[in-house]
Amino acid sequence: MAVLSHADTFIVDVPTIRPHVLAMATMHAQSMVIVRLTDTDGVEGVGEGTTIGGLSYGDESPESIKSAIDTYIVPVLETCDIAQVGATMAKVAKCVRGNRFAKCAVETALLDMAGKRLGIPVSELIGGGRVRESLPIAWTLASGDTARDIAEGEEMLARRRHRIFKLKIGKREVREDVAHVGAICKALGDRASVRVDVNQNWSEAQAKMGMAMLQDVGCDLVEQPIAGDDLAAMTRLSATHAIPLMADEALHGPRTALRIASASAAGVFALKIAQSGGLFATAEVAAIGTAAGIGLYGGTMLEGGVGTAASAHVFATVPDLVWGTELFGPLLQTEEILSEPLAYGDFSLAVPSGPGLGIALDEDKLAFFRRDRTQSVISAPALHAANAGA
Ligand SMILES: [Mg+2]
């Protein structure tokens, strides 16, 4: 039996190392909602709810995630034995509809606590348990400039940090975008896998032409070329192109996964803990994908260290992860909010192995970057950048 004693939810704004250009927004900072739960025995758990580009990506914002947790989810937790994570989240689901990102943050914190109580990593509490110790990590080239993206790709290859690159396209004309992708494919050649993410910004006609052209220039995968709710068009595109279509915005947990699989609307699933509504639900999406012969990829909402560690624990339980992962969120931020940064190297991320999530927050950095900051020293240029981008 475990009883909630304290809940603290706050937004942390950390600047990005460079502008991150998406089809629907340009990010200069990442806003993460961190939830910290403590039980009456003093066991603490942390979770993260993070989206990209305010409300331009989905229907939850950092502010709405915090508000849903504080106002509606924490009162439910107060009535539960929070050692029983599945039962607690089932009760939360009955009281709060939707709000998948907020639920994911809370479930993550509960699993962190459960793992600490049991002395085992969160990955051992999911599905069949952990099957790998490290994950391949893609990098997103999204400066918007071809020469700069090629230089960044070369640098990542030389440092042995990434050899999978995702390009964010969909903002410019299709031909212009394909020329940009083709130049990068040509420059990096067989040394890298190049994929694109259109973030739903094409019409079906544009996608028809774009996917054929992308295949010709050596691109390996096209992520969410058209609206995620147009399954019929996704099915037509998947049926008529050899280059796989990856479902991302179309995926909102197990039910949509089953619908996409039944409609043969995608060849690859982007697994995301927040999009799925939690770590358990992500494992269910993975199971549906595997049963349907759909390739799996570990996606990110550009979470910081907490959400990235949580994602890594789930992805470490997926037997077949043929498309790798993109858990590079912390590397895009100027500061990691963990006391010990996640371990990146040799094109991979090491899955934390300590109890729970296997991570600890850096209190000084939190005090500095949290939006309702309690630290009074305000002098660093990073803070001005954070304010400008928030
Ligand atoms: Mg995407």
Side-chain angles (χ1 to χ4, degrees):
M1 175 87 183
V3 177
L4 183 70
S5 117
H6 188 68
D8 186 19
T9 315
F10 50 91
I11 299 172
V12 180
D13 300 300
V14 180
T16 54
I17 55 170
R18 55 149 165 77
H20 198 63
V21 183
L22 312 171
M24 64 290 177
T26 296
M27 296 170 59
H28 298 276
Q30 179 57 303
S31 301
M32 301 166 279
V33 181
I34 304 294
V35 57
R36 176 151 45 182
L37 305 177
T38 314
D39 71 12
T40 48
D41 294 325
V43 178
E44 192 185 281
V46 291
E48 176 180 340
T50 294
T51 186
I52 49 178
L55 279 171
S56 68
Y57 181 86
D59 50 14
E60 283 177 80
S61 66
E63 297 76 19
S64 82
I65 292 168
K66 174 175 159 47
S67 157
I69 294 171
D70 290 344
T71 316
Y72 298 99
I73 300 180
V74 168
V76 180
L77 301 183
E78 284 168 346
T79 69
C80 296
D81 171 4
I82 56 169
Q84 297 186 310
V85 182
T88 301
M89 291 312 296
K91 191 162 181 193
V92 168
K94 274 198 174 138
C95 303
V96 180
R97 285 188 185 272
N99 290 277
R100 302 187 310 280
F101 288 58
K103 285 173 182 167
C104 176
V106 169
E107 190 195 84
T108 301
L110 294 176
L111 283 167
D112 187 24
M113 296 169 100
K116 284 176 183 166
R117 276 187 219 104
L118 297 165
I120 54 173
V122 165
S123 41
E124 298 297 356
L125 295 167
I126 313 266
R130 189 168 172 128
V131 295
R132 60 170 61 84
E133 297 303 317
S134 70
L135 301 162
I137 301 290
W139 179 248
T140 292
L141 298 172
S143 73
D145 178 84
T146 307
R148 191 173 166 186
D149 281 358
I150 291 172
E152 202 172 296
E154 289 288 2
E155 190 202 330
M156 294 304 177
L157 284 168
R159 289 168 61 190
R160 296 184 64 80
R161 220 180 68 180
H162 308 278
R163 56 185 161 198
I164 304 170
F165 299 105
K166 173 159 132 178
L167 315 184
K168 289 286 190 178
I169 63 169
K171 226 179 156 176
R172 299 178 284 201
E173 290 295 315
V174 175
R175 284 176 200 283
E176 215 180 314
D177 266 341
V178 173
H180 169 73
V181 178
I184 293 171
C185 287
K186 199 172 166 199
L188 303 181
D190 293 340
R191 294 173 298 150
S193 171
V194 174
R195 299 124 183 229
V196 301
D197 187 358
V198 191
N199 285 115
Q200 318 184 87
N201 254 41
W202 281 345
S203 65
E204 186 176 357
Q206 285 174 312
K208 224 169 156 178
M209 180 176 80
M211 285 179 73
M213 290 169 75
L214 285 166
Q215 189 177 321
D216 286 346
V217 298
C219 175
D220 292 332
L221 182 68
V222 181
E223 183 172 342
Q224 204 64 62
I226 57 166
D229 58 3
D230 195 348
L231 289 197
M234 285 170 62
T235 300
R236 288 191 288 273
L237 290 167
S238 291
T240 50
H241 293 91
I243 188 170
L245 185 156
M246 178 154 79
D248 181 15
E249 283 91 336
L251 272 170
H252 292 168
R255 281 195 184 176
T256 51
L258 184 59
R259 255 180 246 140
I260 295 166
S262 305
S264 302
V268 183
F269 279 172
L271 305 172
K272 290 186 174 176
I273 58 168
Q275 286 269 59
S276 301
L279 281 65
F280 291 141
T282 306
E284 290 171 11
V285 172
I288 291 167
T290 301
I294 290 169
L296 299 177
Y297 175 71
T300 183
M301 289 307 304
L302 299 179
E303 289 102 338
V306 179
T308 298
S311 302
H313 279 285
V314 182
F315 301 160
T317 71
V318 178
D320 246 341
L321 202 59
V322 287
W323 292 91
T325 81
E326 56 178 15
L327 293 180
F328 66 85
L331 300 171
L332 189 66
Q333 298 175 10
T334 55
E335 298 276 352
E336 172 127 46
I337 58 163
L338 304 183
S339 54
E340 197 177 315
L342 296 175
Y344 289 93
D346 209 23
F347 306 112
S348 313
L349 165 68
V351 184
S353 54
L357 292 175
I359 55 166
L361 296 170
D362 182 314
E363 300 299 337
D364 287 341
K365 285 182 186 162
L366 286 185
F368 187 80
F369 286 109
R370 59 189 282 172
R371 198 175 282 183
D372 60 350
R373 72 180 59 84
T374 46
Q375 189 160 305
S376 56
V377 182
I378 302 173
S379 58
L383 185 59
H384 297 297
N387 285 337

